Amino acid sequence: MKSKAKITKGLIIASAAILVFFIIGSISKKQNGKVINAISIHVEDQYDNFFIDENDILKLINDGHTNSIVGVPVNDLELKEIETNIKSNPFVRTAEVYRDLKGNLMVKVKPRKPMARILINNGPDAYIDSGGEIIPTSDEFTARVVLISGTYTKKLMTEKEADQEVKRNLTEMLKAIDGDKFLRAQVAQLDMDNEGRITIYPQIGKQYIEFGRPVNVEEKFKKLKILFKRILPERGWNTFSRVNIEYNNQIVCE
């Protein structure tokens, strides 16, 4: 009985394998005779990010040619090559290209999100994105983000010179600002000295705020909120010229 059951089980498995092989073969034959019917492009997280749109992606898909790949035989396309063309755009973070069974080319793109604009003396500005990557500015769109100035900006632009820990911590600091509506409204500019120490220039008030290196960010931002929500409204927005929140459990106002 056991050997009979094993034979039956083996036949079922073999039949299933043959069926799967037949289905794959049928799909492959159908695909061989198909052409690209349409192109579906989805750009993720496009809200308030106009560095790249569907038309830009379409040009990259067609490799800059005026003739569309719609109508081109499916087997004549190299999907990896199309992905590479799309990823060559500095404003593209990730790209996924695949075909569906109806012969449509499906394209999913995630653009880079600029977190801050780096101001460079005697050179072109740039952005730093949510992944800590440096990307160029655009002639078509200017992002409303925090400005970064100071002598450290040259190091940020050069991968070999930048302190990677400072860069990572700065990126996390920028994410914290971007993710907090109150901080986004208050922080206008970060000035970084040659050692990576940060001075914050707020949107309102004449004071500058010594933040120090981008560490213990959460604790420092709590103190920054106390400054903006309690101290300055009570004492006056232009009472102090210098504020230091760099050290533990201290808010020094002068």
Side-chain angles (χ1 to χ4, degrees):
M1 291 294 290
K2 287 185 179 179
S3 59
K4 193 172 183 180
K6 287 182 180 179
I7 292 171
T8 303
K9 186 177 180 180
L11 288 173
I12 292 172
I13 293 172
S15 299
I18 292 170
L19 180 61
V20 170
F21 181 79
F22 175 77
I23 291 172
I24 292 173
S26 298
I27 292 173
S28 179
K29 287 181 180 179
K30 289 180 181 179
Q31 292 281 27
N32 286 337
K34 281 194 171 184
V35 298
I36 296 297
N37 294 321
I39 303 173
S40 175
I41 301 172
H42 174 64
V43 180
E44 298 179 23
D45 303 327
Q46 200 169 3
Y47 175 72
D48 203 29
N49 186 348
F50 302 101
F51 286 99
I52 194 163
D53 58 21
E54 285 84 355
N55 289 330
D56 297 319
I57 300 300
L58 190 59
K59 290 177 184 177
L60 293 168
I61 292 171
N62 295 326
D63 199 15
H65 302 303
T66 54
N67 296 328
S68 173
I69 63 171
V70 173
V72 172
V74 166
N75 289 335
D76 288 352
L77 292 179
E78 291 290 340
L79 300 188
K80 287 297 180 184
E81 184 177 333
I82 294 174
E83 276 190 6
T84 300
N85 285 343
I86 295 173
K87 291 176 182 177
S88 68
N89 187 290
F91 301 115
V92 172
R93 184 173 184 181
T94 62
E96 181 183 4
V97 179
Y98 60 95
R99 301 186 306 258
D100 66 9
L101 295 179
K102 296 180 181 178
N104 300 317
L105 189 71
M106 312 299 289
V107 182
K108 293 183 179 180
V109 173
K110 188 168 186 176
R112 296 189 181 277
K113 182 178 181 180
M115 306 294 292
R117 181 165 182 148
I118 304 171
L119 306 178
I120 304 295
N121 290 330
N122 302 319
D125 292 352
Y127 290 106
I128 182 168
D129 78 348
S130 56
E133 299 294 324
I134 304 299
I135 56 177
T137 57
S138 169
D139 294 332
E140 299 179 2
F141 179 69
T142 300
R144 298 181 62 184
V145 291
V146 173
L147 302 177
I148 300 179
S149 59
T151 54
Y152 201 83
T153 56
K154 290 184 179 179
K155 291 185 178 182
L156 286 176
M157 296 292 290
T158 307
E159 194 70 26
K160 291 182 180 179
E161 292 186 15
D163 184 318
Q164 295 306 306
E165 183 179 0
V166 171
K167 192 174 181 181
R168 283 194 301 271
N169 291 339
L170 173 64
T171 302
E172 293 305 311
M173 179 179 177
L174 293 172
K175 286 181 181 179
I177 294 172
D178 183 70
D180 189 303
K181 185 177 180 180
F182 182 83
L183 293 176
R184 283 202 313 272
Q186 296 295 337
V187 179
Q189 186 169 339
L190 309 179
D191 191 83
M192 301 184 71
D193 69 13
N194 202 47
E195 301 299 321
R197 291 187 295 267
I198 294 171
T199 298
I200 295 177
Y201 291 92
Q203 297 280 7
I204 302 173
K206 68 176 185 179
Q207 68 280 337
Y208 61 89
I209 301 157
E210 296 171 344
F211 191 88
R213 290 167 73 90
V215 294
N216 302 322
V217 168
E218 185 177 353
E219 179 191 343
K220 291 178 182 179
F221 277 153
K222 285 180 181 178
K223 290 188 285 186
L224 190 65
K225 288 182 178 182
I226 291 173
L227 174 72
F228 285 133
K229 292 182 177 182
R230 291 167 48 185
I231 298 174
L232 293 180
E234 292 177 5
R235 300 292 299 274
W237 288 93
N238 294 314
T239 301
F240 308 108
S241 60
R242 169 184 170 269
V243 177
N244 186 295
I245 58 173
E246 180 175 359
Y247 303 106
N248 291 339
N249 304 316
Q250 292 185 29
I251 301 177
V252 179
C253 301
E254 296 180 352

